[in-house]
Amino acid sequence: NIPAGVPAAWVILPPAQRAGFEITDAEKKLLEESANLIEAGDSVLINLYPSYLPRYGLSDPWAQMLEPLGLEASTGTVLLEETIGADGAKAVQMYQHLVEFSAEHPIAAALNGQRLVLPLPLPIRATEDRWNALATIEPGMARWLESEWVPSSDLGPVERGDQVLDGAIDVLWSLERAGVDGDAVQRLLVAGSGPWLLTNVADVVVSAGGGRMTLLNPGNHELMQAAVAWLSGEDDLVAQGPLSQEVARLRGVTEGARHGAGWLLLLGLPGLTIALGLFVYLTRRN
């Protein structure tokens, strides 16, 4: 039991996969406890995994639990993206990374400029205005929502076809409302991704030079720390931590600027080298 007066936050992570259509006793217990925490006015972070139950006309119990709160989670679909692999062949990307967070919220401020990776993202829509969207994935010609996905890291024959994500989707929502007690405040967070907080995603490191290593996805650590602090009512602790500030990072780089820099490296520098060589050749010839 948590002593009275001590700030507390609950982080709920449903099972990643199910062996069949039946919900295990352990998952039923987790669902029941999660619903009880929300009903009791506790502050909770719920992370959602995609489910294949809606594909067969069955309700996903986690999405069903959120509906009375004013959220519709499309757990039967996964946002995928068509990319080009190292061998030049088409590949399917099962994650999205976000860097810009413009919402007026302490968590968004802590995340802004930090790379957050969301594996198996799924769309969530608010049916009530009291919810605040903190993370949005923009539309793209190579992105689409797939309902015929398989619960495996190998997507097999899944292809984009002519499907296109023509509208932005929100994947992280927050809510602050009056709790059960008159003076209490309940805070809720719902993330449309489950694996984002797993160590094999959040703890990936890359070389920063000079024998130093840095986190590839510092936003995942930031989200966890900021979420727990905000849910606990400790707003003063919601700030960018030392892990993400260990190495200076470029900020405010738009998608257009990244594409421009890529073309510059691909064509500009070789073109400049060719032009310089031609200039030297003509100078010596004259």
Side-chain angles (χ1 to χ4, degrees), residues 3-258:
V6 175
W10 301 90
V11 179
I12 309 298
L13 186 63
Q17 296 183 15
R18 294 190 179 97
F21 295 109
E22 294 296 328
I23 300 176
T24 65
D25 292 339
E27 186 175 359
K28 289 180 181 178
K29 183 64 174 178
L30 183 60
L31 277 162
E32 180 182 343
E33 292 296 334
S34 301
N36 290 340
L37 288 171
I38 294 174
E39 185 177 356
D42 287 274
S43 294
V44 180
L45 163 59
I46 296 179
N47 306 279
L48 299 174
Y49 273 95
S51 170
Y52 55 82
L53 293 178
R55 188 190 313 173
Y56 300 98
L58 303 175
S59 297
D60 178 29
W62 293 97
Q64 202 171 17
M65 182 180 67
L66 295 175
E67 289 178 0
L69 299 174
L71 284 184
E72 287 185 356
S74 299
T75 55
T77 60
V78 177
L79 177 63
L80 304 177
E81 183 170 356
E82 187 177 72
T83 61
I84 303 299
D87 57 354
K90 290 183 179 180
V92 176
Q93 178 178 293
M94 298 184 293
Y95 63 88
Q96 292 292 318
H97 70 266
L98 302 174
V99 179
E100 303 295 332
F101 300 87
S102 58
E104 295 183 1
H105 194 280
I107 294 179
L111 287 174
N112 196 34
Q114 307 300 327
R115 177 185 165 109
L116 171 69
V117 171
L118 300 176
L120 299 176
L122 56 92
I124 304 174
R125 186 178 71 90
T127 58
E128 298 181 9
D129 294 339
R130 56 181 179 169
W131 285 91
N132 187 19
L134 305 186
T136 301
I137 299 175
E138 298 300 328
M141 296 297 294
R143 296 171 180 163
W144 81 100
L145 291 172
E146 180 61 63
S147 59
E148 297 298 323
W149 59 277
V150 292
S152 169
S153 59
D154 178 13
L155 290 177
V158 173
E159 296 181 355
R160 181 173 66 87
D162 58 356
Q163 300 180 82
V164 172
L165 182 67
D166 55 7
I169 65 170
D170 299 305
V171 290
L172 181 63
W173 291 87
S174 71
L175 170 66
E176 186 171 355
R177 65 179 184 176
V180 177
D181 299 330
D183 298 331
V185 174
Q186 182 183 34
R187 290 176 169 179
L188 300 175
L189 280 174
V190 179
S193 173
W196 70 268
L197 46 64
L198 302 181
T199 55
N200 62 348
V201 175
D203 291 347
V204 177
V205 296
V206 293
S207 174
R212 295 186 303 165
M213 305 298 290
T214 185
L215 290 171
L216 178 62
N217 310 314
N220 292 55
H221 278 264
E222 292 291 359
L223 176 54
M224 186 62 186
Q225 294 173 4
V228 171
W230 182 76
L231 289 171
S232 302
E234 302 293 329
D235 290 25
D236 293 341
L237 300 180
V238 182
Q240 293 186 345
L243 280 175
S244 63
Q245 302 302 304
E246 186 178 17
V247 175
R249 302 173 189 270
L250 293 176
R251 299 191 180 190
V253 181
T254 64
E255 190 72 19
R258 286 194 289 270

